[in-house]
Amino acid sequence: MVRKRRTDPPGSSGEGSESQDTGAGRGAQRPTERAPTAQQGGGGRGPAPQPQQQPQQGGRGGYGGGYPPQGRGGSQPRGGMAPQQYGAPPEYQGRGGQPRGMPPQQPMGTPPESGVRRRGGGSMTGGRGGGPTSGGQSRPPIPELHQATQAPYQAMVSPQPVQSGKPDQSYSQASSSSQPPEPSTGQVIHQLELLSVQSEGAPTQAIQPIPPSSKSMRFPLRPGKGSTGTKCIVKANHFFAELPDKDLHQYDVSITPEVTSRGVNRAVMEQLVRLYRESHLGRRLPAYDGRKSLYTAGPLPFTSREFSITLVDEDDGTGAPRRERPFRVVIKMAARADLHHLGLFLQGKQADAPQEALQVLDIVLRELPTARYSPVGRSFYSPDLGRRQPLGEGLESWRGFYQSIRPTQMGLSLNIDMSSTAFIEPLPVIDFVTQLLNRDVLARPLSDADRVKIKKALRGVKVEVTHRGNMRRKYRISGLTSQATRELTFPVDDRGTMKSVVQYFQETYGFVIQHTQWPCLQVGNTQRPNYLPMEVCKIVEGQRYSKRLNERQITALLKVTCQRPRERELDIMQTVHHNAYHEDPYAKEFGIKISEKLAQVEARILPPPWLKYHDTGREKDCLPQVGQWNMMNKKMVNGGTVNNWICINFSRNVQESVARGFCNELAQMCHISGMVFNPEPVLPPYNARPDQVERALKTRYHDCMTKLRPQGRELDLLIVILPDNNGSLYGDLKRICETDLGLVSQCCLTKHVFKMSKQYLANVSLKINVKVGGRNTVLIDALSRRIPLVSDRPTIIFGADVTHPHPGEDSSPSIAAVVASQDWPEITKYAGLVSAQAHRQELIQDLFKVWQDPVRGTVSGGMIKELLISFRRATGQKPQRIIFYRDGVSEGQFYQVLLYELDAIRKACASLEPNYQPPVTFVVVQKRHHTRLFANNHHERNAVDRSGNILPGTVVDSKICHPTEFDFYLCSHAGIQGTSRPAHYHVLWDENKFTADGLQSLTNNLCYTYARCTRSVSIVPPAYYAHLAAFRARFYMEPETSDSGSMTSGAAAARAGAGSGGRSTRITGANAAVRPLPALKDNVKRVMFYC
């Protein structure tokens, strides 16, 4: 199934275009699916304080003046942290003084049987128990893991009215939250590891142990439904399915000789049912999964039985006898599938989803479409379901639909959505190759590169021969011959007599091969290959293309799949009609009834948050309208500083005067937007050739530093002008700048340099500001400390994602990225770290790790620990709450990911100081699902945005959501084109005890703080940033053949350990170490370089 991707994929366009898109319209979409083309991404460890910052005593100044002091000397803060003096050392130590309204905490001895395991930093006692009862006796054992209960959320003192006033200049221009002086990393880590916690005014959450296995694990129950926002009704593409009252039976099937093809298995079973349904199967119509299981509605008249079935090959048109294949089928009673438990689960009376029963119903409803169409995953495609569209290079798109049965609050529901995917056009192979190479292939011989491209595209593809009249035998291509057809010979008898392929075809079939200079296709196995000339082969219809599509094909496919909400809804309705579930013999047999109406669901539209801009701008704050706003009359809330910058131009078409003019306009726009930006570059723009990117960057950087270093100055920014089609130039440039030179850069495409639109320049300035450590905007509720469970005490918000290589890339590693907020209470700046790990490994391996150091002994590190330390350094406080948004996890991996990653978070905290266990909320963010929401009435003007989609802020937590667990759909962005896909948030762990309103509002509000555009985005920014960072890191992997020598070996990096940033990743289960990514430079890590 092809996911919605951006129409102008970033890889081709550098990042200038990205910023054009984000602000002018597309930022609402994610840049791409997991990874069609690499664009952004990154690594590094997070914004650390700027040296020029003054320690601010007693409150923060800045913004509108008048906010209460935030625990820097001065008075007691409102929300719960005790004041901390600026001179305090950076270690994680308990602070004196109790926060208001919290009981003093005593350590609680946890009895051994409560299942608390020892963690990295010594025994983990009950840590933050829920305020012990008199005498602080030990907690009773925990029989099964339940989420900790907590006293109701403590209302904070009502916020004081915001007085507007001149902001404290030192703050409005500084680029990070109020910061203490910065100690060295080594010192911090050392002190953190030595310290023991003192009794601390702790929140009232009990920290629970992580259970040893998923069996004892329960995801949190829904804490009631949300009520904030304007109520409305939306329609969802879910169709109510009535639970059958049949007695379901499961039978094991064994077919011998065993075949791997489901198609053959199905053909055997189809034949068996046709022959024996009346006589031996008690007239039952079974549903078969194509492998080992058969299901019936009611028992068969035997417990075990053997059948003999013969399949006869298709008539090949030669009049020769057709090949017969005998099979032995044994059907044996296995179990009764229990629908009773499914009923209890749907009513919320049982916690575990009975997967077995759901699977049976799914298989039953897939029987008919599997026979009618081409199944791909959970979707079905056919050339009859809509027009075929050519995608170029021998591919075409087929329309189809996705179908899946899901347990929801309204009972069972059938989720149906439209989809399209790429199939190989059923062309003669010669025509396919002509299209693939996009030229007249007969004009000149094939180059080596051509042959590689042909081989890659055709390997595994089925072809049929055309030189034998009606006899259309089918073969699977295994490769290409290295010699031309005219040079190929093969033995024709046991004596080793050789005959040429050309001669054989002439004599045997009277077929004269025209293109003797071409290679032959190799078919069959590689030990005894058969040779077929390309001109006698045609590609068999109905083969899905599963490899990577190029930019043009992605664009063509997007055009086909992109549908306005009304059209999509009509198509879905038509599909349901066309599938006629009420006439489906299998659905009838099993008593499954499917409604033909879209589910109508109660929804709410959450209000947008107020955003703060700088007090020197004409508009000091802003209330977004329908998910968007702009920078007119506003200045960034913390403008960054760019004193020293240069420009390098890699585009032949851009003259020096044009480059100079563009840089001048950009510098002016940055200045107008609130940055301190020197209008003059250190050196004039420099023209360079794209094939000499490394030389050009290093030479110019060296020339520049020769001028700056004697004055003790650094280079703040590199502006780069790129050709519109720049191949690997963008990635090489980012790798060299961020891992070698330690330089942040902003790339701009030639087309934008010539156009120079104000909108474009404004968007680029937003990106530049966060790359040099500024902040574009902040939630007013964050400043006035009004965000429940975030504002009352220091809170860190993480985002994490893993991107996997494209299908077809068998060996390249997956890349994990974790970002974490580095400012509190604002929560807008995120530092990012990246790490390579085993191919297609979904669990993030480097969250916490321990290794042996020859000098220091056992050392611990990893991404979480490093980000906690940098938060502590940036804010002067340690997080007392963790919110972890995890992207890219499918439902089947929920338990695994939670067990592994929550354990790593706990160990990372304990390694900083014994008993340091801030409460964690772990939320999975999903975009790859098929639920779509439509306006109840498409004609109602104020119910839809300009694209016809539901309004930003629409949240659904009833009816189509999980029967008992804490999940919700949130459409936080305004649509641009096509049908908006709401994000699905599922809470897997919640020690902070969020209410439904609390988490839904926090998530929606955060979507308005995305740095790269003035729109709310479709997934929560920390998850989005992690996605960008992982994408950027793909560029850091040099090709294996690289001779530049800048990559370290796995072993060397392992010795270097986390402190130096050379990250080696040990693969669990395998002994190989993944080649680590080159380390990011420290000054790059501190800022949002991946934006």
Side-chain angles (χ1 to χ4, degrees):
M1 157 63 200
V2 173
R3 315 269 172 240
K4 183 129 170 53
R5 294 179 174 126
R6 297 173 16 101
T7 20
D8 43 347
S12 61
S13 54
E15 70 197 282
S17 69
E18 174 70 40
S19 89
Q20 170 70 26
D21 288 346
T22 43
R26 313 200 101 56
Q29 314 293 15
R30 292 189 65 179
T32 50
E33 151 182 5
R34 213 56 352 193
T37 47
Q39 157 69 356
Q40 313 287 11
R45 292 188 180 73
Q50 311 301 326
Q52 75 266 31
Q53 181 80 23
Q54 310 296 311
Q56 289 158 333
Q57 295 292 336
R60 190 186 242 96
Y63 304 130
Y67 293 111
Q70 279 146 36
R72 295 278 178 276
S75 66
Q76 177 95 332
R78 271 191 281 121
M81 287 294 301
Q84 185 203 335
Q85 300 304 323
Y86 236 96
E91 60 278 86
Y92 268 66
Q93 62 190 19
R95 302 189 185 69
Q98 292 296 341
R100 283 190 208 151
M102 298 286 179
Q105 157 141 351
Q106 293 147 19
M108 294 171 64
T110 308
E113 68 273 28
S114 71
V116 179
R117 305 208 300 276
R118 281 177 70 85
R119 270 240 184 340
S123 78
M124 189 184 106
T125 56
R128 308 182 101 68
T133 46
S134 58
Q137 75 238 36
S138 59
R139 202 192 310 173
I142 301 175
E144 197 174 53
L145 191 86
H146 299 293
Q147 300 284 320
T149 49
Q150 180 210 349
Y153 168 65
Q154 307 240 322
M156 292 174 314
V157 183
S158 60
Q160 296 148 10
V162 178
Q163 299 117 27
S164 79
K166 272 284 201 243
D168 174 310
Q169 217 33 47
S170 73
Y171 191 73
S172 55
Q173 282 168 14
S175 57
S176 176
S177 2
S178 38
Q179 299 133 339
E182 178 177 347
S184 78
T185 310
Q187 208 182 331
V188 173
I189 292 175
H190 181 64
Q191 287 167 325
L192 291 175
E193 279 162 354
L194 292 181
L195 268 170
S196 67
V197 70
Q198 294 151 13
S199 164
E200 180 187 331
T204 54
Q205 284 89 353
I207 291 295
Q208 314 108 285
I210 300 168
S213 82
S214 63
K215 288 287 162 270
S216 53
M217 184 93 137
R218 289 278 170 274
F219 297 143
L221 298 177
R222 189 181 299 285
K225 298 200 174 126
S227 57
T228 308
T230 314
K231 289 190 168 57
C232 65
I233 299 282
V234 295
K235 287 179 289 192
N237 59 341
H238 285 239
F239 298 84
F240 179 67
E242 214 173 292
L243 196 60
D245 55 355
K246 299 275 178 155
D247 191 10
L248 300 190
H249 287 65
Q250 180 183 356
Y251 292 84
D252 284 340
V253 174
S254 73
I255 299 178
T256 43
E258 212 168 301
V259 281
T260 49
S261 155
R262 277 190 182 192
V264 173
N265 285 344
R266 284 185 189 283
V268 169
M269 193 53 73
E270 209 177 304
Q271 178 80 319
L272 188 150
V273 172
R274 196 179 308 128
L275 295 175
Y276 298 113
R277 181 180 175 185
E278 297 294 322
S279 56
H280 293 69
L281 302 182
R283 297 192 167 174
R284 304 238 176 257
L285 180 62
Y288 176 50
D289 70 354
R291 296 244 187 266
K292 304 269 185 207
S293 297
L294 188 78
Y295 300 95
T296 58
L300 292 174
F302 54 80
T303 46
S304 177
R305 181 153 197 150
E306 188 176 310
F307 297 87
S308 292
I309 298 294
T310 304
L311 285 189
V312 182
D313 275 5
E314 295 168 21
D315 185 354
D316 60 12
T318 56
R322 295 193 275 173
R323 186 173 63 142
E324 295 190 351
R325 301 162 70 188
F327 292 94
R328 195 174 119 249
V329 183
V330 177
I331 298 178
K332 195 166 142 206
M333 173 70 181
R336 291 184 49 182
D338 187 5
L339 290 181
H340 173 65
H341 285 284
L342 180 55
L344 291 179
F345 172 71
L346 293 169
Q347 291 162 26
K349 293 177 183 165
Q350 178 187 321
D352 275 339
Q355 289 306 333
E356 213 86 285
L358 285 167
Q359 204 180 336
V360 181
L361 301 177
D362 204 43
I363 289 163
V364 170
L365 290 171
R366 299 174 70 75
E367 271 287 351
L368 197 60
T370 300
R372 280 187 188 169
Y373 310 121
S374 303
V376 176
R378 292 195 162 277
S379 299
F380 299 96
Y381 297 95
S382 160
D384 312 328
L385 287 171
R387 290 208 314 279
R388 300 176 180 201
Q389 300 283 352
L391 298 177
E393 297 191 14
L395 302 185
E396 60 183 9
S397 71
W398 285 19
R399 287 276 284 169
F401 64 93
Y402 165 93
Q403 168 182 302
S404 158
I405 196 137
R406 307 186 59 76
T408 63
Q409 289 171 38
M410 64 179 186
L412 280 181
S413 105
L414 192 65
N415 180 202
I416 295 213
D417 192 21
M418 303 317 298
S419 62
S420 292
T421 195
F423 278 76
I424 302 168
E425 277 192 68
L427 297 166
V429 170
I430 294 264
D431 296 355
F432 177 84
V433 170
T434 306
Q435 279 205 27
L436 182 72
L437 302 179
N438 202 12
R439 64 181 171 82
D440 176 10
V441 281
L442 307 177
R444 61 170 194 263
L446 298 175
S447 66
D448 284 350
D450 289 340
R451 298 170 73 95
V452 168
K453 192 172 182 183
I454 296 168
K455 189 174 172 180
K456 242 181 158 173
L458 285 176
R459 187 187 284 137
V461 172
K462 263 195 204 154
V463 291
E464 53 187 16
V465 292
T466 56
H467 63 292
R468 301 175 66 180
N470 287 340
M471 185 189 165
R472 293 274 172 138
R473 260 198 92 177
K474 296 185 173 75
Y475 300 90
R476 198 175 286 282
I477 300 172
S478 57
L480 287 185
T481 58
S482 48
Q483 296 146 294
T485 304
R486 59 170 171 251
E487 296 161 18
L488 286 171
T489 58
F490 63 99
V492 283
D493 55 26
D494 298 342
R495 296 196 303 277
T497 317
M498 302 300 279
K499 186 175 272 194
S500 78
V501 168
V502 175
Q503 189 188 351
Y504 173 78
F505 269 81
Q506 169 75 58
E507 290 171 9
T508 316
Y509 307 113
F511 186 92
V512 180
I513 297 173
Q514 302 293 315
H515 310 301
T516 56
Q517 77 285 11
W518 280 43
C520 272
L521 299 176
Q522 264 175 256
V523 297
N525 64 17
T526 37
Q527 281 71 43
R528 289 188 48 246
N530 280 332
Y531 301 134
L532 288 176
M534 287 190 190
E535 61 205 85
V536 303
C537 296
K538 179 176 184 284
I539 292 169
V540 174
E541 181 170 87
Q543 297 178 79
R544 181 179 176 236
Y545 181 78
S546 58
K547 302 185 187 82
R548 184 179 175 178
L549 299 174
N550 65 31
E551 311 298 353
R552 283 189 303 279
Q553 290 165 334
I554 291 170
T555 308
L557 190 57
L558 271 178
K559 267 197 184 129
V560 182
T561 51
C562 183
Q563 282 184 301
R564 293 260 158 170
R566 272 191 68 184
E567 294 158 28
R568 194 183 196 102
E569 187 187 318
L570 285 169
D571 271 8
I572 290 170
M573 293 299 293
Q574 233 173 330
T575 302
V576 172
H577 243 58
H578 180 79
N579 289 351
Y581 294 101
H582 58 281
E583 288 169 14
D584 176 338
Y586 295 94
K588 269 185 175 162
E589 169 88 8
F590 284 80
I592 302 172
K593 296 192 182 77
I594 306 289
S595 158
E596 295 208 344
K597 284 199 181 81
L598 287 158
Q600 290 204 315
V601 188
E602 287 172 16
R604 288 167 291 113
I605 299 161
L606 301 178
W610 279 91
L611 302 175
K612 177 71 189 144
Y613 282 92
H614 201 282
D615 285 350
T616 55
R618 268 201 298 191
E619 292 180 23
K620 300 172 177 51
D621 47 37
C622 159
L623 184 65
Q625 301 298 317
V626 197
Q628 47 192 336
W629 65 102
N630 60 44
M631 285 293 290
M632 304 269 284
N633 302 325
K634 299 176 196 70
K635 289 192 187 296
M636 295 149 175
V637 73
N638 297 123
T641 302
V642 176
N643 285 321
N644 310 306
W645 60 276
I646 54 171
C647 170
I648 298 183
N649 171 22
F650 287 101
S651 177
R652 278 208 315 247
N653 309 342
V654 177
Q655 288 79 33
E656 191 177 329
S657 59
V658 177
R660 205 186 286 267
F662 174 77
C663 290
N664 194 20
E665 288 287 319
L666 183 56
Q668 209 174 327
M669 179 59 82
C670 289
H671 173 70
I672 292 167
S673 303
M675 291 180 69
V676 174
F677 206 107
N678 183 346
E680 288 304 315
V682 179
L683 299 170
Y686 176 73
N687 293 330
R689 283 175 38 186
D691 56 355
Q692 297 184 345
V693 57
E694 188 151 6
R695 210 173 98 193
L697 286 171
K698 290 185 173 171
T699 310
R700 202 57 173 168
Y701 179 72
H702 180 261
D703 295 348
C704 191
M705 291 315 291
T706 311
K707 191 169 169 182
L708 294 175
R709 207 168 269 124
Q711 306 163 17
R713 297 193 297 165
E714 284 297 327
L715 185 59
D716 302 316
L717 176 70
L718 166 67
I719 295 172
V720 186
I721 297 171
L722 294 177
D724 291 334
N725 294 319
N726 55 68
S728 65
L729 176 57
Y730 175 83
D732 291 341
L733 183 137
K734 291 292 182 188
R735 187 190 76 245
I736 296 159
C737 285
E738 287 156 9
T739 66
D740 196 344
L741 302 177
L743 190 52
V744 288
S745 53
Q746 177 60 52
C747 297
C748 304
L749 291 183
T750 301
K751 60 183 179 189
H752 298 304
V753 168
F754 282 124
K755 227 185 191 166
M756 245 185 325
S757 82
K758 285 277 185 275
Q759 173 73 67
Y760 172 74
L761 294 171
N763 288 333
V764 175
S765 68
L766 291 176
K767 287 159 63 107
I768 290 175
N769 188 44
V770 294
K771 286 179 187 180
V772 298
R775 274 196 206 91
N776 294 339
T777 185
V778 175
L779 295 170
I780 284 186
D781 276 1
L783 296 176
S784 54
R785 306 288 190 98
R786 282 188 296 225
I787 303 177
L789 299 184
V790 171
S791 297
D792 58 340
R793 61 177 63 93
T795 299
I796 186 168
I797 300 185
F798 285 91
D801 192 12
V802 177
T803 67
H804 302 296
H806 296 288
E809 291 178 29
D810 303 331
S811 56
S812 51
S814 291
I815 289 182
V818 180
V819 304
S821 57
Q822 299 292 294
D823 51 354
W824 180 83
E826 303 89 343
I827 48 172
T828 54
K829 281 186 175 186
Y830 291 82
L833 295 178
V834 288
S835 153
Q837 58 186 41
H839 177 74
R840 302 208 82 76
Q841 165 65 269
E842 184 52 59
L843 306 177
I844 301 177
Q845 300 299 296
D846 266 5
L847 288 181
F848 179 72
K849 53 185 186 175
V850 178
W851 67 96
Q852 292 302 317
D853 181 273
V855 184
R856 295 183 294 166
T858 306
V859 188
S860 66
M863 296 154 109
I864 298 283
K865 183 170 181 175
E866 202 169 317
L867 289 164
L868 288 170
I869 291 170
S870 80
F871 177 94
R872 167 68 200 221
R873 247 203 249 127
T875 64
Q877 322 201 51
K878 61 181 180 185
Q880 290 192 29
R881 216 183 244 124
I882 292 174
I883 300 169
F884 197 92
Y885 284 104
R886 174 68 155 90
D887 193 5
V889 183
S890 62
E891 283 170 37
Q893 296 171 311
F894 278 5
Y895 280 114
Q896 247 182 318
V897 168
L898 179 63
L899 278 170
Y900 185 86
E901 296 183 4
L902 183 59
D903 187 52
I905 294 169
R906 291 274 173 85
K907 284 176 174 159
C909 291
S911 75
L912 290 168
E913 143 192 322
N915 300 345
Y916 171 55
Q917 289 297 327
V920 177
T921 296
F922 193 106
V923 186
V924 167
V925 187
Q926 292 171 302
K927 276 290 291 241
R928 306 178 106 195
H929 57 78
H930 286 270
T931 294
R932 297 289 180 279
L933 301 173
F934 303 103
N936 195 33
N937 177 358
H938 292 282
H939 302 294
E940 203 178 320
R941 289 292 299 278
N942 46 4
V944 292
D945 63 20
R946 280 192 310 199
S947 66
N949 278 291
I950 53 171
L951 295 170
T954 303
V955 66
V956 169
D957 60 3
S958 66
K959 217 163 174 186
I960 58 170
C961 293
H962 193 280
T964 56
E965 291 167 14
F966 187 3
D967 71 327
F968 56 91
Y969 290 96
L970 170 65
C971 180
S972 50
H973 65 298
I976 294 164
Q977 53 177 13
T979 305
S980 295
R981 185 192 305 234
H984 182 232
Y985 295 89
H986 201 130
V987 182
L988 302 192
W989 194 256
D990 182 25
E991 287 163 342
N992 289 302
K993 290 284 161 270
F994 272 96
T995 61
D997 280 332
L999 189 61
Q1000 289 165 10
S1001 296
L1002 170 66
T1003 304
N1004 186 54
N1005 291 351
L1006 286 173
C1007 289
Y1008 286 79
T1009 64
Y1010 184 63
R1012 306 200 314 174
C1013 56
T1014 53
R1015 304 178 64 91
S1016 63
V1017 287
S1018 61
I1019 61 164
V1020 71
Y1024 208 146
Y1025 293 144
H1027 184 70
L1028 295 179
F1031 243 82
R1032 172 65 58 84
R1034 282 249 167 250
F1035 297 130
Y1036 300 163
M1037 295 190 300
E1038 293 184 38
E1040 292 294 322
T1041 51
S1042 162
D1043 54 4
S1044 69
S1046 68
M1047 279 278 194
T1048 50
S1049 73
R1055 284 197 299 277
S1060 69
R1063 319 189 153 282
S1064 98
T1065 312
R1066 256 82 67 230
I1067 305 169
T1068 34
N1071 295 328
V1074 172
R1075 196 181 198 182
L1077 300 170
L1080 283 156
K1081 295 293 180 194
D1082 281 344
N1083 59 329
V1084 174
K1085 268 177 206 176
R1086 292 188 194 129
V1087 293
M1088 293 166 71
F1089 66 91
Y1090 45 78
C1091 270

